[in-house]
Amino acid sequence: EDKESKGSTDKRTTLVSTLKFKPSIADNLKMVRCEAGHPALPDSTLATELQISVQYPPGAPEIAGYTPGQPLKKGDRVPLSCRSRGGNPPATLTWYKNGERIDSSYTNVKGG
């Protein structure tokens, strides 16, 4: 959508172009660029660009390290890991046991 309006003097015109789009996950961290061409600049354009950040939810968390029904003995150490993939910003992970919060430490793994 383009608009034209009078500038600060009678001989200046301000143009406004509005881009409307629906960002997807694939658009995260992509560059958006706007160029202005003019007959006084036949071999070049004026341009500005910015990087967009698209917020999107992560995948459902998954717990690894234990198979349901696997027998455990008192005192066994069972290394469980909870993983949530994707999301911008990344999810925070919190462990609960019988509804009581027991840990909220996690590590951000790039590309994992």
Side-chain angles (χ1 to χ4, degrees):
E1 173 183 323
D2 295 337
K3 293 182 182 176
E4 186 175 322
S5 62
K6 291 284 186 186
S8 58
T9 67
D10 289 339
K11 296 189 180 201
R12 286 193 188 174
T13 301
T14 300
L15 294 176
V16 176
S17 179
T18 303
L19 172 68
K20 294 180 182 179
F21 74 104
K22 291 183 180 182
S24 69
I25 292 173
D27 294 320
N28 188 47
L29 303 179
K30 299 291 184 188
M31 300 300 290
V32 177
R33 179 179 174 100
C34 177
E35 295 184 356
H38 190 274
L41 302 167
D43 298 325
S44 66
T45 58
L46 301 172
T48 187
E49 62 184 16
L50 57 84
Q51 186 178 54
I52 60 174
S53 177
V54 180
Q55 289 191 342
Y56 55 92
E62 301 169 357
I63 297 176
Y66 176 76
T67 303
Q70 173 185 350
L72 297 175
K73 295 181 186 138
K74 178 183 173 200
D76 282 352
R77 290 203 171 264
V78 182
L80 300 177
S81 63
C82 180
R83 176 178 288 200
S84 175
R85 290 186 169 93
N88 184 36
T92 57
L93 301 175
T94 305
W95 286 95
Y96 292 85
K97 182 177 172 188
N98 292 327
E100 185 177 327
R101 181 179 168 165
I102 55 175
D103 189 15
S104 62
S105 62
Y106 58 90
T107 303
N108 190 352
V109 180
K110 295 279 184 189

